[in-house]
Amino acid sequence: MRLSNIVAMFSVIVFVSSIAYGQNPIAFGPYIQSLTEDSATVCWSTHADSVDLHGPGTEKTLRMYDTHEIKLANLNANTEYSYDVLKDGSDYGKGTFHTLAEGIHPFSFVAYGDTRSDHKIHRRIVEHALKEDPLLVINTGDLVSDGLNIEDWEMFFEINRELMRTRPYYPVLGNHEHDADYYFQFFDLPGNERYYEFTVGDVLFLMLDSEGSDFAKPTYVKDEDYFWNTYQKAYFEKQKAWADHVLEMHKDAGFIFVFFHQPLISIKRSRVEDAKYRRKFWGDIFERHNVQALIMGHDHHYHRAEANGVQMITSGGGGAGLYDGDSPAPETKKYVKVNHYIRVDVGEKKATLKAVDVDGNEIETITVDR
């Protein structure tokens, strides 16, 4: 991402000068990324140019954007800040964020995924998330239908505008992102951005990539056995070694939540065998490190399994067409074919995970111990 503007900080208000790009100079954002006790990143995109596309049955203009980010450092912990990336008297470039508190403290977050296709459902999920007032939001992948299509990203940021301007948004890569440059252009994530970690108090969030480093693979290497044992073996072994190291470093964490897109246990018949390859690869790493919960997406329903003390939750009900759970697993504890999100309340001794459907009805609530 390109840093294009100069920052001036006054008290708790951050002003960022902006080049004029017309009546509404900001295309996407502004929005918050990478929030800590003493820092935050403000991101936004501006209109740059456009391309006219002509072809059989196609006549349209595709817009191009410049992306911007600014790292705000030396902030006070547990403090609300206001920012303005326009400073033109309008509200369009304004937002707020609250830095993390130091030490161990209760907080909540919201998680959901597969928001890609039904924009009405996606909007309703976002409306629920805003009412929940979480500290942060996590998307379990497949944010958009086609990560290579800028129009899909335009809709994504339109729907999420109010949510993302006030709280950090942490996604993981899904297969529908297609490893697109847009994903890495629009988000400012920790680490290498493909897989990364962050902490809130003594809670570890481990964000993994289930898709691989080269998504533009030909069909003849999509065989699962070849994928795991040859084609992407080095990439996933490196990621697994990194995850093992991170989990070891955080062995005294109070809670550990792990997120990635494709589940380790699938109850969609056509995906059961694929899930077995993933579960075999990751082995007992999550059990060994006392991970309380895995939260994943890809299968468009709510499914919770429990294996060796680890809650394995599939939350893919954010807007994509729903799937039948037509092949229940021995580990299955709950399945509902419904659009939904998960609210997680982290307390001093327990964390409560509450699955809620798009109409606000509770699906189930479970607790895990610190």
Side-chain angles (χ1 to χ4, degrees):
M1 302 177 77
R2 292 182 293 277
L3 179 61
S4 64
N5 298 324
I6 301 172
V7 177
M9 187 178 296
F10 304 99
S11 183
V12 298
I13 301 180
V14 178
F15 293 114
V16 182
S17 64
S18 176
I19 301 171
Y21 281 82
Q23 185 176 0
N24 292 321
I26 298 178
F28 306 151
Y31 51 98
I32 299 299
Q33 295 275 267
S34 300
L35 185 69
T36 71
E37 293 93 340
D38 61 2
S39 66
T41 301
V42 178
C43 302
W44 71 101
S45 297
T46 51
H47 302 279
D49 209 336
S50 62
V51 174
D52 290 334
L53 180 64
H54 307 280
T58 301
E59 297 289 337
K60 60 182 177 180
T61 298
L62 300 175
R63 290 163 291 277
M64 300 168 61
Y65 300 94
D66 285 330
T67 56
H68 314 277
E69 67 175 55
I70 194 72
K71 184 80 169 183
L72 308 175
N74 301 318
L75 305 178
N76 296 319
N78 196 26
T79 301
E80 183 163 314
Y81 286 85
S82 300
Y83 63 89
D84 188 346
V85 303
L86 286 182
K87 204 170 55 171
D88 63 352
S90 72
D91 292 331
Y92 198 78
K94 295 179 181 179
T96 62
F97 62 88
H98 199 109
T99 51
L100 303 184
E102 295 178 337
I104 299 172
H105 52 88
F107 68 94
S108 67
F109 67 91
V110 166
Y112 51 84
D114 294 85
T115 52
R116 58 185 175 87
S117 49
D118 190 327
H119 304 314
K120 290 182 179 179
I121 294 295
H122 187 186
R123 287 185 192 278
R124 292 175 65 188
I125 295 292
V126 168
E127 289 169 359
H128 281 293
L130 281 165
K131 291 177 182 178
E132 297 285 5
D133 192 25
L135 180 66
L136 58 95
V137 179
I138 292 174
N139 193 309
T140 60
D142 280 5
L143 287 68
V144 295
S145 291
D146 183 355
L148 299 171
N149 182 9
I150 188 60
E151 294 171 307
D152 286 357
W153 289 108
E154 290 169 342
M155 180 59 69
F156 172 84
F157 281 104
E158 177 188 331
I159 292 172
N160 283 283
R161 182 172 180 271
E162 293 304 317
L163 181 64
M164 295 176 67
R165 71 191 303 169
T166 57
R167 53 198 34 89
Y169 194 99
Y170 295 95
V172 296
L173 283 161
N175 53 298
H176 278 267
E177 271 66 73
H178 295 307
D179 205 37
D181 288 342
Y182 288 133
Y183 178 88
F184 301 101
Q185 180 181 356
F186 292 135
F187 291 103
D188 176 64
L189 303 170
N192 66 15
E193 298 193 303
R194 292 182 175 278
Y195 48 88
Y196 59 96
E197 55 152 322
F198 65 95
T199 58
V200 178
D202 72 340
V203 180
L204 172 65
F205 292 84
L206 188 64
M207 319 296 282
L208 299 176
D209 173 21
S210 65
E211 306 312 307
S213 60
D214 181 9
F215 198 83
K217 51 188 177 289
T219 55
Y220 58 79
V221 296
K222 291 186 178 180
D223 173 78
E224 287 294 321
D225 187 67
Y226 186 81
F227 179 86
W228 286 101
N229 295 313
T230 304
Y231 184 68
Q232 286 286 280
K233 183 178 181 181
Y235 175 81
F236 281 104
E237 285 183 342
K238 181 179 180 181
Q239 181 181 186
K240 185 178 180 180
W242 172 85
D244 195 37
H245 175 66
V246 170
L247 288 166
E248 179 62 27
M249 286 195 306
H250 292 273
K251 61 184 178 182
D252 294 326
F255 294 96
I256 302 174
F257 299 106
V258 178
F259 300 85
F260 48 91
H261 183 58
Q262 299 196 35
L264 300 189
I265 297 176
S266 178
I267 58 171
K268 179 175 170 55
R269 184 172 291 112
S270 62
R271 294 179 172 176
V272 169
E273 292 304 312
D274 293 354
K276 288 180 179 178
Y277 276 96
R278 289 189 292 278
R279 192 174 181 188
K280 179 181 179 181
F281 171 80
W282 287 104
D284 67 348
I285 184 173
F286 304 120
E287 292 92 334
R288 284 192 290 106
H289 290 288
N290 299 312
V291 171
Q292 283 102 330
L294 311 179
I295 302 180
M296 303 152 286
H298 195 51
D299 291 351
H300 307 160
H301 49 230
Y302 176 81
H303 174 241
R304 180 174 64 87
E306 186 175 350
N308 302 319
V310 181
Q311 299 292 337
M312 299 185 178
I313 300 172
T314 300
S315 178
L322 296 174
Y323 291 162
D324 291 322
D326 51 7
S327 185
E331 301 90 344
T332 295
K333 300 298 181 182
K334 183 76 172 182
Y335 154 72
V336 183
K337 182 182 178 181
V338 67
N339 295 113
H340 69 279
Y341 66 96
I342 300 171
R343 176 191 170 102
V344 182
D345 289 295
V346 179
E348 294 181 359
K349 296 182 179 181
K350 296 180 181 294
T352 302
L353 293 81
K354 181 179 180 181
V356 182
D357 71 21
V358 74
D359 294 318
N361 302 309
E362 180 180 335
I363 299 170
E364 71 165 347
T365 297
I366 63 169
T367 59
V368 295
D369 294 326
R370 178 178 291 277

